[in-house]
Amino acid sequence: MNPFRSTSARFHKKLLTKTMAIGVILALMGTACLIQLANVQLVNGKSMAQAAAQSRTITVTLKASRGKIMDTNGSILAQSVERYTIIGNPEEAQAFTPTTCTKQTGDNCHQIDGKPVGATGAAAVARLLAPVLDMDATELGAMLSGTGQYAVLKKDVTPAVKRKISKLNLGGIVYAELSNERIYSNGTLMGALLGGVDSEGKGVAGIEQMENKTLTGEDGYQVYQQGNNGVEIPGTMTESKDAVNGSDITLTIDHDVQWYVEKVLRDSCEKYSSPWGIAVVQDTQTGDILALADSDEIEAGSDQAKLTVSRAVGETFEPGSIGKVFTMSGMIQLGLHQASDKFTVPDHITVNGQTYSDATTHGDEHWTLAGILEQSSNVGMIIAGEKMSNEQRYDFIRKFGVGQDNGLGFPGESDGLLYSSDQWDLRTQNTVLFGQAYTTNALQLTNAVAVIANKGVKKPQRIIKTISDAEGHSEEQKPEGEATRVIDEQVASQVMNAMESVSDHYSQFVKVDGYRVAAKSGTAEVAGADGRLSSIISDYSAIIPADNPRFIVTVVLKDPQGGFGGLTAGPVTAEIGEFLMQKYEVPASSPRTDAIPVTW
């Protein structure tokens, strides 16, 4: 037997055995792979594909734009502009490795000023992003080094910056969410009156809050799959809903009139050393508010604007002698007097143990009721109102709108304070005759005087002119409430006549050349910082032109140097009136020929 052949046979036998064993193992492995493949494709394939698709599926919110606020002529006062919130994915950022730029990569690479990034992970992302966002790279790196997949990096980014970020090839790591920034075009013009919005775009003060529901749109959304670069995979959108923008609001406010009135107020506060002033301009025929101003300089949309109620809306005060217009109207309407009735008026009087005095010392004067209004005599009003019951005094003050909601709906607006007559003490029952012991605001006071201009009819005021939806459909807004008759036309005519005599009385200081004016001044003591009656309110309300009423102008000044309303608030009213006559090209007045005598 050949030993070599025996050894060779054993070797081939072992090799065959090993080969067969390996073949069996490979066969088993192949079978397992086939089984797994069949399991994936035939059994779990659908569910695994769905899971993969679900992991790539996102819902993107489509932000609705907030509606614009415009003046009566279409000038934009507030609008939302396209802005973006930049979002980072910390997990993806920390796994980021920059791609070196070569001829083969083209623009799909990362570099800074033509040089390699020089880092990886969140630090690399921060280095690329910092110059575009104008932020510190270290700060950005820290924001991207946290946990989770969502980190706000910067808000209110412009579309131009968003486009630059898109060119950084950081898809899936950094992306932009559409948002809106509220822009106010005129700085402090109507600052507190417009108010502002919070970080979520919700109106929180002023007109922004008052009309928030109208201005707010409805967000939409899109559901689609995104690739590794964060871009939508074409054809994968499964659901979508368009955003509906908020409606635009057009105010009755005239930008030019508002600007001029605010300027005049600020100049007048400086001239008379007054801490603040308020002014209202109202269209007599429509009840539209053309200007609602105060002297406070507050940036619209600022934190201060969001925390401050416009003084023109929220400030209340005793109207002082302007209130004599309401009680005189009541006396004539009740048939107790005519404007031509004659009275002998001393400078002081005592009733039920209470003494009342006029502002100046004088002897017994022979004044008609019209003369009592012209001279603004407190004593004369008490004498003339002797037969007017407390209930009647209360009713006429209230009928003119004092102490009532005017229907405009301003946040923070005060209705003033008018106690019912059964709560009046012995002094209050007489001081109400000359505009004290109750409070009002500038809007109420203006509309009350407008009753005389409108021949005895109280019309509702309006500040929202039209609302236009996202599709451009515009709807005229009617004022809240109905017109109501307060006094007869002939009564209003008598009071208007007497008010024109008041204006003539002040003509040396208060006049609008070429135009007749009917007016009433007021001065009232109010509580000062010390809690005592150490401050005054000076106010003046005018109807212009008196022979063809177009506008009511009311001015209120706090603690002006110069005292009486006719000498301080009066000239300011005239300055505004002159501007209105020129702007609206109102025809000059005809001469006055029917003045009711003021003395006898």
Side-chain angles (χ1 to χ4, degrees):
M1 185 175 182
N2 188 337
F4 178 77
R5 176 177 292 181
S6 175
T7 301
S8 177
R10 286 196 302 270
F11 173 77
H12 282 94
K13 186 178 181 180
K14 288 181 180 181
L15 180 62
L16 180 60
T17 301
K18 289 181 178 180
T19 301
M20 291 178 66
I22 292 171
V24 171
I25 292 171
L26 290 174
L28 291 173
M29 290 177 64
T31 301
C33 289
L34 288 172
I35 293 172
Q36 181 63 24
L37 180 61
N39 181 57
V40 169
Q41 291 184 336
L42 301 178
V43 181
N44 296 323
K46 185 176 181 180
S47 61
M48 293 182 70
Q50 288 176 340
Q54 188 173 5
S55 69
R56 296 193 302 268
T57 301
I58 63 170
T59 301
V60 176
T61 300
L62 304 177
K63 286 286 187 179
S65 180
R66 189 172 177 84
K68 294 190 289 288
I69 301 175
M70 298 173 285
D71 90 325
T72 189
N73 299 311
S75 296
I76 295 175
L77 303 171
Q79 64 179 324
S80 293
V81 296
E82 181 182 348
R83 291 292 183 266
Y84 291 88
T85 299
I86 304 304
I87 307 299
N89 184 327
E91 289 186 3
E92 293 293 332
Q94 292 162 38
F96 172 68
T97 300
T99 300
T100 303
C101 293
T102 65
K103 289 183 179 181
Q104 288 74 28
T105 62
D107 292 332
N108 296 317
C109 60
H110 306 95
Q111 60 183 0
I112 300 173
D113 296 330
K115 298 178 182 179
V117 177
T120 60
V125 176
R127 288 186 185 185
L128 289 164
L129 197 56
V132 180
L133 290 181
D134 192 25
M135 292 177 66
D136 180 70
T138 303
E139 179 185 356
L140 272 175
M143 297 169 74
L144 291 166
S145 296
T147 58
Q149 298 179 333
Y150 189 94
V152 175
L153 304 181
K154 192 169 185 179
K155 293 183 177 181
D156 296 331
V157 168
T158 64
V161 172
K162 184 254 186 184
R163 288 192 292 270
K164 290 180 181 179
I165 293 174
S166 299
K167 295 178 181 179
L168 293 177
N169 299 312
L170 294 173
I173 301 174
V174 177
Y175 58 96
E177 290 183 350
L178 179 65
S179 63
N180 292 290
E181 182 183 7
R182 199 65 169 165
I183 301 295
Y184 300 89
S185 310
N186 299 280
T188 61
L189 187 79
M190 296 174 61
L193 191 64
L194 287 171
V197 299
D198 63 15
S199 60
E200 301 300 320
K202 178 183 177 182
V204 292
I207 293 173
E208 292 277 25
Q209 180 182 352
M210 181 174 78
E211 294 297 321
N212 184 66
K213 184 176 180 180
T214 300
L215 291 164
T216 301
E218 184 178 350
D219 290 345
Y221 61 88
Q222 291 181 338
V223 180
Y224 59 80
Q225 294 179 37
Q226 64 176 355
N228 292 333
N229 59 358
V231 177
E232 176 187 352
I233 300 174
T236 61
M237 185 179 297
T238 58
E239 191 177 352
S240 67
K241 180 182 178 182
D242 291 338
V244 179
N245 292 333
S247 296
D248 295 336
I249 289 175
T250 299
L251 305 178
T252 60
I253 298 286
D254 187 311
H255 172 283
D256 295 340
V257 178
Q258 181 78 20
W259 176 86
Y260 186 81
V261 171
E262 287 190 12
K263 177 182 180 300
V264 170
L265 272 182
R266 289 193 295 270
D267 292 346
S268 300
C269 285
E270 183 176 352
K271 178 179 179 180
Y272 297 112
S273 298
S274 176
W276 55 258
I278 298 170
V280 182
V281 177
Q282 180 171 324
D283 186 306
T284 302
Q285 299 167 355
T286 63
D288 286 355
I289 304 300
L290 303 182
L292 182 56
D294 61 59
S295 58
D296 298 333
E297 295 187 79
I298 297 173
E299 289 277 348
S302 67
D303 289 342
Q304 189 178 4
K306 298 172 192 176
L307 297 172
T308 305
V309 175
S310 168
R311 198 181 296 275
V313 169
E315 195 75 45
T316 58
F317 49 89
E318 291 185 350
S321 291
I322 295 179
K324 292 169 182 170
V325 170
F326 317 145
T327 46
M328 176 180 174
S329 298
M331 293 174 193
I332 300 175
Q333 180 67 32
L334 292 167
L336 302 178
H337 293 294
Q338 296 292 308
S340 57
D341 285 0
K342 302 173 181 179
F343 299 87
T344 299
V345 183
D347 64 358
H348 66 278
I349 190 173
T350 299
V351 179
N352 294 326
Q354 300 289 318
T355 300
Y356 308 88
S357 303
D358 282 344
T360 59
T361 302
H362 59 79
D364 290 350
E365 300 287 353
H366 292 168
W367 292 328
T368 62
L369 184 57
I372 289 173
L373 190 72
E374 180 221 16
Q375 294 293 324
S376 200
S377 171
N378 297 341
V379 174
M381 290 302 294
I382 293 173
I383 294 172
E386 182 181 3
K387 294 181 181 179
M388 193 178 192
S389 70
N390 288 348
E391 290 77 11
Q392 290 170 333
R393 297 174 188 191
Y394 170 83
D395 286 345
F396 274 96
I397 296 170
R398 186 164 178 80
K399 283 180 180 179
F400 273 87
V402 174
Q404 299 176 68
D405 182 4
N406 58 24
L408 294 178
F410 283 112
E413 180 179 3
S414 173
D415 295 341
L417 187 63
L418 174 63
Y419 290 111
S420 59
S421 58
D422 59 6
Q423 294 180 277
W424 294 350
D425 58 24
L426 293 177
R427 189 166 190 82
T428 297
Q429 65 187 16
N430 286 313
T431 58
V432 296
L433 293 171
F434 44 84
Q436 295 183 16
Y438 62 86
T439 62
T440 184
N441 64 36
L443 280 165
Q444 283 182 1
L445 187 58
T446 301
N447 209 34
V449 173
V451 170
I452 306 302
N454 287 320
K455 300 180 179 180
V457 175
K458 179 177 176 287
K459 295 181 179 180
Q461 294 170 304
R462 184 177 73 155
I463 198 166
I464 306 299
K465 181 179 179 182
T466 60
I467 294 177
S468 303
D469 64 23
E471 296 180 354
H473 302 135
S474 184
E475 183 177 352
E476 187 86 9
Q477 299 300 294
K478 294 182 179 180
E480 291 289 333
E482 300 293 331
T484 57
R485 178 162 292 283
V486 178
I487 53 177
D488 294 339
E489 184 173 339
Q490 63 87 16
V491 175
S493 178
Q494 290 187 56
V495 177
M496 174 80 86
N497 195 304
M499 290 177 68
E500 193 166 353
S501 294
V502 173
S503 183
D504 290 345
H505 179 81
Y506 286 106
S507 60
Q508 183 179 349
F509 311 100
V510 185
K511 64 179 179 179
V512 179
D513 289 337
Y515 297 91
R516 289 162 51 185
V517 180
K520 186 67 191 82
S521 63
T523 307
E525 292 181 324
V526 294
D530 57 3
R532 296 181 295 176
L533 295 179
S534 55
S535 286
I536 64 168
I537 289 292
S538 294
D539 51 10
Y540 200 89
S541 195
I543 302 167
I544 181 170
D547 55 326
N548 182 27
R550 285 288 308 278
F551 305 103
I552 311 294
V553 181
T554 299
V555 172
V556 183
L557 297 177
K558 173 75 178 298
D559 287 331
Q561 290 183 4
F564 300 136
L567 303 180
T568 53
V572 183
T573 304
E575 191 172 351
I576 295 170
E578 184 175 2
F579 173 82
L580 294 170
M581 297 302 98
Q582 294 174 358
K583 174 178 172 58
Y584 294 101
E585 298 180 348
V586 178
S589 295
S590 57
R592 186 184 187 196
T593 59
D594 62 347
I596 296 172
V598 294
T599 61
W600 58 276

